[in-house]
Amino acid sequence: MELVAIVIGIALLEYFWFTMRCGSMRGKHDVAAPAMQGNPEFERAFRVQYNTIEQLMIFIPSIVLFGHYLSAPIAAGLGLVFVLGRAMFAIGYWQDPSKRGPGFGLTILSNVVLLLGGIVGAVMSYAG
Amino acid sequence: MELVAIVIGIALLEYFWFTMRCGSMRGKHDVAAPAMQGNPEFERAFRVQYNTIEQLMIFIPSIVLFGHYLSAPIAAGLGLVFVLGRAMFAIGYWQDPSKRGPGFGLTILSNVVLLLGGIVGAVMSYAG
Amino acid sequence: MELVAIVIGIALLEYFWFTMRCGSMRGKHDVAAPAMQGNPEFERAFRVQYNTIEQLMIFIPSIVLFGHYLSAPIAAGLGLVFVLGRAMFAIGYWQDPSKRGPGFGLTILSNVVLLLGGIVGAVMSYAG
């Protein structure tokens, strides 16, 4: 499971990068806390961070279940697809929300495979 | 722990349903990203998803601790109460925010029992 | 790992306190769901809760990795720094957003050490 642990760590470093970007845009455009809007570049950085929270909520438990019950190396590989998809999503969205599609699709694809695979693996382990 | 893993998977599938509903309402009502408001039906779907993130943040670690240190079958049963409560919460809230109470209460109840039980179990294991 | 489990439980109890405060401010100031703004005291309570979600997303996986691959007692100690930082952050922010800095810094410090340490520990375990 070390490979899964390392990929989780990479995904969290990437997410940390998104949080730093959001904080930096808050400062650059003087969006005083607690406001969550007021400048388009800040709002895009905010939504990149929060959409990543939405997806990490599925990703982290699912990669652990998939890695534990099916295959740790395959889970780690799917996790790298997730990390790549998030980078594409963020870099696109920061420029223009209309460019967020492809990276979003990769994220969803890897999350769905990890989640369904993790459930199937746990059911097989319980049944067998 | 397979039962706990399966219930976590079901809770994440349910959450995935809420995220799809939120994205679908964004499209239906033309709420262009990165906006988080602009149409009441979208805003209700958005809050259902985010309130579920708020609760999953407690639920997932707590069901693992309760299942590991106290009882995996009881943890899984409480997890099904959580899943039921979330479905009631979402279906109510999508119609009218005033209908979110009973499902919200079931969610909080299962989360509080899972969290306190998980802490008690870990303390007992440490002490004993 | 019981110490890590107990500290995770304490951090989630603290987060539960922040969620209760946010719900209570929603009621006190009649901010009808699904609104996420409308009163400054509610908005500060809302952001305290959501900033804690942002940080728990890193904290929980990272303390588990650090505790598993490096040292459970040190992970638990860093986790207590996180809990202290969050309390300072919340109590400051509830009064005035400009008072959120020191607690925020403590949170980030503990999270960065836990995350980097967890990755290093997993890489060392994989290599060795």
Side-chain angles (χ1 to χ4, degrees), chain C residues 77-92:
Chain C
L78 289 164
L80 290 179
V81 175
F82 177 91
V83 169
L84 173 67
R86 277 293 104 181
M88 290 169 54
F89 172 82
I91 292 166

PDB file of all heavy atoms in Angstrom, chain C residues 77-92:
ATOM      1  N   GLY C  77       1.214  14.288  18.642  1.00  0.00           N
ATOM      2  CA  GLY C  77       1.625  15.592  19.164  1.00  0.00           C
ATOM      3  C   GLY C  77       1.396  16.708  18.146  1.00  0.00           C
ATOM      4  O   GLY C  77       0.873  17.778  18.482  1.00  0.00           O
ATOM      5  N   LEU C  78       1.770  16.454  16.882  1.00  0.00           N
ATOM      6  CA  LEU C  78       1.525  17.446  15.837  1.00  0.00           C
ATOM      7  C   LEU C  78       0.029  17.659  15.654  1.00  0.00           C
ATOM      8  O   LEU C  78      -0.420  18.773  15.360  1.00  0.00           O
ATOM      9  CB  LEU C  78       2.158  16.987  14.515  1.00  0.00           C
ATOM     10  CG  LEU C  78       3.687  17.034  14.480  1.00  0.00           C
ATOM     11  CD1 LEU C  78       4.235  16.209  13.320  1.00  0.00           C
ATOM     12  CD2 LEU C  78       4.151  18.486  14.340  1.00  0.00           C
ATOM     13  N   GLY C  79      -0.742  16.604  15.846  1.00  0.00           N
ATOM     14  CA  GLY C  79      -2.195  16.723  15.744  1.00  0.00           C
ATOM     15  C   GLY C  79      -2.761  17.635  16.818  1.00  0.00           C
ATOM     16  O   GLY C  79      -3.700  18.399  16.574  1.00  0.00           O
ATOM     17  N   LEU C  80      -2.165  17.590  18.013  1.00  0.00           N
ATOM     18  CA  LEU C  80      -2.626  18.496  19.078  1.00  0.00           C
ATOM     19  C   LEU C  80      -2.286  19.941  18.734  1.00  0.00           C
ATOM     20  O   LEU C  80      -3.037  20.856  19.086  1.00  0.00           O
ATOM     21  CB  LEU C  80      -2.021  18.083  20.425  1.00  0.00           C
ATOM     22  CG  LEU C  80      -2.569  16.764  20.989  1.00  0.00           C
ATOM     23  CD1 LEU C  80      -1.879  16.428  22.316  1.00  0.00           C
ATOM     24  CD2 LEU C  80      -4.088  16.831  21.189  1.00  0.00           C
ATOM     25  N   VAL C  81      -1.145  20.165  18.059  1.00  0.00           N
ATOM     26  CA  VAL C  81      -0.824  21.518  17.586  1.00  0.00           C
ATOM     27  C   VAL C  81      -1.904  21.981  16.605  1.00  0.00           C
ATOM     28  O   VAL C  81      -2.361  23.140  16.660  1.00  0.00           O
ATOM     29  CB  VAL C  81       0.574  21.547  16.925  1.00  0.00           C
ATOM     30  CG1 VAL C  81       0.855  22.918  16.312  1.00  0.00           C
ATOM     31  CG2 VAL C  81       1.654  21.186  17.935  1.00  0.00           C
ATOM     32  N   PHE C  82      -2.317  21.091  15.711  1.00  0.00           N
ATOM     33  CA  PHE C  82      -3.391  21.413  14.769  1.00  0.00           C
ATOM     34  C   PHE C  82      -4.665  21.812  15.516  1.00  0.00           C
ATOM     35  O   PHE C  82      -5.296  22.827  15.204  1.00  0.00           O
ATOM     36  CB  PHE C  82      -3.663  20.196  13.870  1.00  0.00           C
ATOM     37  CG  PHE C  82      -4.799  20.379  12.900  1.00  0.00           C
ATOM     38  CD1 PHE C  82      -4.577  20.874  11.626  1.00  0.00           C
ATOM     39  CD2 PHE C  82      -6.105  20.040  13.251  1.00  0.00           C
ATOM     40  CE1 PHE C  82      -5.629  21.042  10.723  1.00  0.00           C
ATOM     41  CE2 PHE C  82      -7.162  20.213  12.358  1.00  0.00           C
ATOM     42  CZ  PHE C  82      -6.924  20.717  11.100  1.00  0.00           C
ATOM     43  N   VAL C  83      -5.048  21.019  16.519  1.00  0.00           N
ATOM     44  CA  VAL C  83      -6.277  21.284  17.280  1.00  0.00           C
ATOM     45  C   VAL C  83      -6.183  22.640  17.984  1.00  0.00           C
ATOM     46  O   VAL C  83      -7.138  23.438  17.975  1.00  0.00           O
ATOM     47  CB  VAL C  83      -6.536  20.147  18.296  1.00  0.00           C
ATOM     48  CG1 VAL C  83      -7.637  20.528  19.276  1.00  0.00           C
ATOM     49  CG2 VAL C  83      -6.886  18.850  17.572  1.00  0.00           C
ATOM     50  N   LEU C  84      -5.025  22.915  18.582  1.00  0.00           N
ATOM     51  CA  LEU C  84      -4.811  24.214  19.238  1.00  0.00           C
ATOM     52  C   LEU C  84      -4.896  25.351  18.223  1.00  0.00           C
ATOM     53  O   LEU C  84      -5.554  26.377  18.458  1.00  0.00           O
ATOM     54  CB  LEU C  84      -3.439  24.209  19.924  1.00  0.00           C
ATOM     55  CG  LEU C  84      -2.992  25.544  20.521  1.00  0.00           C
ATOM     56  CD1 LEU C  84      -3.882  25.929  21.698  1.00  0.00           C
ATOM     57  CD2 LEU C  84      -1.521  25.493  20.959  1.00  0.00           C
ATOM     58  N   GLY C  85      -4.234  25.179  17.082  1.00  0.00           N
ATOM     59  CA  GLY C  85      -4.256  26.211  16.039  1.00  0.00           C
ATOM     60  C   GLY C  85      -5.670  26.496  15.555  1.00  0.00           C
ATOM     61  O   GLY C  85      -6.049  27.657  15.348  1.00  0.00           O
ATOM     62  N   ARG C  86      -6.453  25.449  15.385  1.00  0.00           N
ATOM     63  CA  ARG C  86      -7.839  25.630  14.946  1.00  0.00           C
ATOM     64  C   ARG C  86      -8.676  26.387  15.971  1.00  0.00           C
ATOM     65  O   ARG C  86      -9.523  27.209  15.614  1.00  0.00           O
ATOM     66  CB  ARG C  86      -8.491  24.267  14.675  1.00  0.00           C
ATOM     67  CG  ARG C  86      -8.225  23.672  13.332  1.00  0.00           C
ATOM     68  CD  ARG C  86      -8.850  24.452  12.198  1.00  0.00           C
ATOM     69  NE  ARG C  86      -7.879  25.226  11.467  1.00  0.00           N
ATOM     70  CZ  ARG C  86      -8.192  26.020  10.438  1.00  0.00           C
ATOM     71  NH1 ARG C  86      -9.451  26.132  10.031  1.00  0.00           N
ATOM     72  NH2 ARG C  86      -7.265  26.713   9.827  1.00  0.00           N
ATOM     73  N   ALA C  87      -8.462  26.091  17.253  1.00  0.00           N
ATOM     74  CA  ALA C  87      -9.215  26.800  18.290  1.00  0.00           C
ATOM     75  C   ALA C  87      -8.857  28.283  18.272  1.00  0.00           C
ATOM     76  O   ALA C  87      -9.738  29.156  18.342  1.00  0.00           O
ATOM     77  CB  ALA C  87      -8.924  26.187  19.665  1.00  0.00           C
ATOM     78  N   MET C  88      -7.561  28.584  18.168  1.00  0.00           N
ATOM     79  CA  MET C  88      -7.130  29.990  18.113  1.00  0.00           C
ATOM     80  C   MET C  88      -7.710  30.668  16.872  1.00  0.00           C
ATOM     81  O   MET C  88      -8.178  31.812  16.928  1.00  0.00           O
ATOM     82  CB  MET C  88      -5.596  30.071  18.060  1.00  0.00           C
ATOM     83  CG  MET C  88      -4.907  29.676  19.360  1.00  0.00           C
ATOM     84  SD  MET C  88      -3.097  29.476  19.142  1.00  0.00           S
ATOM     85  CE  MET C  88      -2.654  31.057  18.411  1.00  0.00           C
ATOM     86  N   PHE C  89      -7.643  29.970  15.732  1.00  0.00           N
ATOM     87  CA  PHE C  89      -8.182  30.493  14.472  1.00  0.00           C
ATOM     88  C   PHE C  89      -9.660  30.840  14.622  1.00  0.00           C
ATOM     89  O   PHE C  89     -10.101  31.945  14.277  1.00  0.00           O
ATOM     90  CB  PHE C  89      -7.995  29.432  13.378  1.00  0.00           C
ATOM     91  CG  PHE C  89      -8.657  29.747  12.071  1.00  0.00           C
ATOM     92  CD1 PHE C  89      -8.051  30.581  11.146  1.00  0.00           C
ATOM     93  CD2 PHE C  89      -9.884  29.181  11.748  1.00  0.00           C
ATOM     94  CE1 PHE C  89      -8.666  30.853   9.926  1.00  0.00           C
ATOM     95  CE2 PHE C  89     -10.510  29.449  10.532  1.00  0.00           C
ATOM     96  CZ  PHE C  89      -9.893  30.289   9.628  1.00  0.00           C
ATOM     97  N   ALA C  90     -10.432  29.903  15.168  1.00  0.00           N
ATOM     98  CA  ALA C  90     -11.882  30.083  15.236  1.00  0.00           C
ATOM     99  C   ALA C  90     -12.255  31.216  16.188  1.00  0.00           C
ATOM    100  O   ALA C  90     -13.046  32.108  15.852  1.00  0.00           O
ATOM    101  CB  ALA C  90     -12.549  28.774  15.677  1.00  0.00           C
ATOM    102  N   ILE C  91     -11.659  31.186  17.375  1.00  0.00           N
ATOM    103  CA  ILE C  91     -12.026  32.189  18.378  1.00  0.00           C
ATOM    104  C   ILE C  91     -11.623  33.584  17.896  1.00  0.00           C
ATOM    105  O   ILE C  91     -12.366  34.558  18.076  1.00  0.00           O
ATOM    106  CB  ILE C  91     -11.385  31.824  19.740  1.00  0.00           C
ATOM    107  CG1 ILE C  91     -12.043  30.538  20.275  1.00  0.00           C
ATOM    108  CG2 ILE C  91     -11.526  32.963  20.744  1.00  0.00           C
ATOM    109  CD1 ILE C  91     -11.298  29.878  21.417  1.00  0.00           C
ATOM    110  N   GLY C  92     -10.456  33.683  17.217  1.00  0.00           N
ATOM    111  CA  GLY C  92     -10.059  34.961  16.641  1.00  0.00           C
ATOM    112  C   GLY C  92     -10.998  35.410  15.531  1.00  0.00           C
ATOM    113  O   GLY C  92     -11.497  36.540  15.538  1.00  0.00           O
TER     114      GLY C  92
END
